[in-house]
Amino acid sequence: MYKLYYQPEGVWVGDIMPYAEDGTFYLYHQRDTRKGGVVMGEPFGWALATTSDFATYEDFGESLVRGTDDEVDQYVYAGTVFKIGETYHALYTGCNRDKVYAGTGQQVLLHATSTDAVHWEKNITETLLPPQEGYDVRNWRDPYVLWDEDAEEYMLILGSRIGQDKACQTGRIVKFTSKDLETWEFQGDWWAPNLYTMFEMPDLFKMGDWWYLVFSEYSDGNKTRYRMSKSINGPWITPVDDAFDGRAYYAARTAFDGERRVLFGWVPTRSEANDGAPYLWAGTFMPLEIVQREDGTLGTKVPDSLRAAFGEGEKLEPFELTGTSAKEEHVFSANPGSETYCLETSFTFTPGTGGFSIKLHENAETGVAFEYRVDLGQKRMEFHKSPEYPWFQTMNIGLERPIDLTAGETVNVRLIVDDDIATIFVNDVALNARFYDKPGDGIAITVTDGTIASVSAPILAVL
């Protein structure tokens, strides 16, 4: 089981509704038991765990309790938590899946309050926002609420779509406004770009001079993406790299504790724990701390407190590695001695270098490994099994990121492995992956058609 990333024993972590206060992050989340091998087979409410360091957690169990099988919130889908005065509010999605499947129910928005952020009093009858006319009653969810200072009103956005044909790219984010959290006025479509079949987990925040709209989509790359604007209502600019991660990181929302704005997403599992199989809903939580670049675009890093959990680690030998019309390899460790470790290395590469890679769980005899490979010419980083023979060893569609590196400049790489999850950061570009069939234990770096040379001694730290 995981030593670092968060997944309680016997359950899989679904969508997370983060809230932060006084340096503590509250992780309201769904727990999938997968009873009988069925994903989302058992109804759930919101469980709660808190953390300040992302290395240790306090578990409160179910916090916002689900309704009965006859009530509208049989399943408590995603929503948002915020505080006004001394009262905590939860705007959440209620879904009676049995009735929705039977065509006699719909997804609705519900309201609950709390005085301690742990125990909630639900108010199902008075605050209930059903799908508006023309919108898909089965896809009306994941509200996010914030205070619009300029308009002096609360703003609620949520994911929706027009019609019920999910092959059509009619996904949109709609908007409600309220002065008192009791009476809401529907403002219609807020953003309808004709790009995706549905939006999930919208999030909106300001950092510096920029507003950022974060969302997840499951019709294109199944990724958490973002847009940026100088206004809370757009128009929205699409950055060259509009994602925070690849396919194996989904439904991420942010929370800000006064110092850190952190993404709360989950790394999915695969069907039957098979590297070649499709992903399943829910998995394991891992945090990505947001970094704002000079041009306003966003990158990520591992939270400092999570890195600190490993301690200083062991310094390894510096390296210089040249591959001339070939790939050459340097082994950092034949066996780190733990399923949870952190490798850090900084290096430069010469002009014309084709690429480099970080290999993990390498078999010393066969060379078979999992590999994060950076193609410097194509400006792309991807995760795959090496070799992919017989085709294919790993279903890695979507396990890639664009990345632009410059010869002579320092490249900082941090690899964190926790059991069957790997997270790599190349500078501030992250890529998560889940893998199962571990061919060996080795960790290595390679270079193709060029030279890489370490700037400082690599560090290997284990838990």
Side-chain angles (χ1 to χ4, degrees):
M1 197 59 187
Y2 309 99
K3 294 183 180 179
L4 195 62
Y5 295 159
Y6 180 75
Q7 183 182 341
E9 188 74 32
V11 298
W12 287 259
V13 176
D15 297 351
I16 299 170
M17 286 56 65
Y19 169 78
E21 182 178 345
D22 298 330
T24 297
F25 290 93
Y26 293 69
L27 284 68
Y28 298 95
H29 60 282
Q30 300 154 346
R31 291 181 176 178
D32 189 10
T33 62
R34 298 190 181 173
K35 186 176 181 180
V38 179
V39 175
M40 295 183 71
E42 282 193 310
F44 47 70
W46 287 359
L48 172 63
T50 60
T51 185
S52 59
D53 58 10
F54 300 105
T56 57
Y57 295 83
E58 183 176 0
D59 189 344
F60 292 86
E62 191 170 44
S63 177
L64 181 58
V65 180
R66 78 170 184 92
T68 68
D69 288 344
D70 293 324
E71 292 182 299
V72 68
D73 59 347
Q74 175 195 34
Y75 283 79
V76 179
Y77 286 168
T80 183
V81 174
F82 54 98
K83 187 179 183 182
I84 300 175
E86 297 301 315
T87 301
Y88 299 90
H89 296 260
L91 266 291
Y92 67 96
T93 306
C95 179
N96 189 304
R97 204 168 68 174
D98 295 338
K99 294 181 180 180
V100 169
Y101 284 176
T104 60
Q106 57 189 357
Q107 294 184 358
V108 295
L109 306 190
L110 304 172
H111 183 212
T113 57
S114 174
T115 58
D116 62 3
V118 178
H119 306 91
W120 294 88
E121 181 177 347
K122 295 190 291 185
N123 182 3
I124 290 180
T125 57
E126 294 186 15
T127 304
L128 189 152
L129 297 177
Q132 301 295 294
E133 185 177 353
Y135 292 87
D136 187 353
V137 300
R138 305 166 305 171
N139 290 277
W140 180 265
R141 59 181 175 272
D142 307 351
Y144 183 80
V145 176
L146 74 161
W147 175 253
D148 184 344
E149 292 184 357
D150 293 336
E152 296 185 337
E153 61 189 6
Y154 293 101
M155 174 179 175
L156 183 157
I157 57 175
L158 66 111
S160 61
R161 53 174 285 102
I162 295 293
Q164 297 196 6
D165 184 354
K166 294 186 72 173
C168 296
Q169 293 175 318
T170 62
R172 56 244 296 120
I173 296 176
V174 301
K175 176 182 175 180
F176 287 85
T177 56
S178 176
K179 298 291 186 181
D180 55 11
L181 292 179
E182 294 182 1
T183 302
W184 291 93
E185 295 184 6
F186 183 57
Q187 305 297 337
D189 291 347
W190 184 66
W191 189 46
N194 301 316
L195 288 171
Y196 311 110
T197 64
M198 178 63 183
F199 288 93
E200 294 191 303
M201 301 296 281
D203 184 359
L204 185 61
F205 65 88
K206 190 176 185 183
M207 182 180 286
D209 296 330
W210 289 96
W211 281 95
Y212 297 96
L213 169 64
V214 177
F215 60 91
S216 291
E217 50 80 17
Y218 58 74
S219 58
D220 184 9
N222 280 80
K223 294 180 180 180
T224 297
R225 303 179 184 271
Y226 76 97
R227 298 291 187 267
M228 49 196 292
S229 175
K230 290 297 181 70
S231 167
I232 192 173
N233 290 305
W236 298 103
I237 299 169
T238 304
V240 173
D241 178 10
D242 71 339
F244 294 102
D245 205 311
R247 171 63 184 88
Y249 193 78
Y250 193 71
R253 265 200 176 148
T254 76
F256 181 62
D257 71 346
E259 296 183 2
R260 303 165 290 178
R261 183 165 290 276
V262 179
L263 275 163
F264 293 76
W266 42 264
V267 180
T269 55
R270 291 186 187 268
S271 178
E272 299 179 349
N274 183 340
D275 290 317
Y279 289 107
L280 299 173
W281 181 81
T284 309
F285 162 64
M286 74 83 49
L288 293 173
E289 183 174 343
I290 290 178
V291 176
Q292 187 182 48
R293 306 184 183 110
E294 290 185 4
D295 63 358
T297 61
L298 301 178
T300 59
K301 70 171 192 173
V302 61
D304 293 339
S305 57
L306 188 149
R307 168 60 184 91
F310 286 98
E312 293 185 4
E314 174 190 1
K315 288 187 176 181
L316 307 177
E317 289 295 321
F319 61 87
E320 181 171 323
L321 194 61
T322 298
T324 303
S325 298
K327 180 168 74 173
E328 296 295 332
E329 179 173 316
H330 169 77
V331 177
F332 289 118
S333 173
N335 188 337
S338 172
E339 293 289 297
T340 302
Y341 62 83
C342 176
L343 171 74
E344 297 172 331
T345 183
S346 299
F347 57 87
T348 59
F349 61 90
T350 55
T353 299
F356 63 87
S357 72
I358 302 293
K359 301 176 79 173
L360 56 142
H361 281 288
E362 182 175 34
N363 185 300
E365 294 183 1
T366 66
V368 176
F370 289 97
E371 185 175 37
Y372 282 102
R373 180 180 295 171
V374 175
D375 187 315
L376 293 166
Q378 296 188 24
K379 300 180 180 180
R380 184 180 72 229
M381 173 170 62
E382 62 181 359
F383 178 87
H384 63 111
K385 189 80 168 286
S386 177
E388 284 278 10
Y389 180 82
W391 186 265
F392 51 89
Q393 294 295 299
T394 299
M395 171 62 78
N396 69 342
I397 295 175
L399 294 186
E400 63 178 39
R401 297 292 309 281
I403 190 164
D404 191 359
L405 303 173
T406 302
E409 295 185 358
T410 299
V411 179
N412 298 301
V413 174
R414 175 175 282 163
L415 171 70
I416 296 176
V417 175
D418 191 7
D419 193 22
D420 57 13
I421 299 174
T423 312
I424 199 168
F425 297 86
V426 178
N427 293 340
D428 60 6
V429 177
L431 184 60
N432 271 285
R434 173 93 64 171
F435 57 94
Y436 296 101
D437 183 21
K438 303 172 183 177
D441 299 303
I443 316 167
I445 189 169
T446 75
V447 66
T448 304
D449 298 337
T451 298
I452 57 174
S454 56
V455 173
S456 57
I459 294 174
L460 178 62
V462 302
L463 277 180

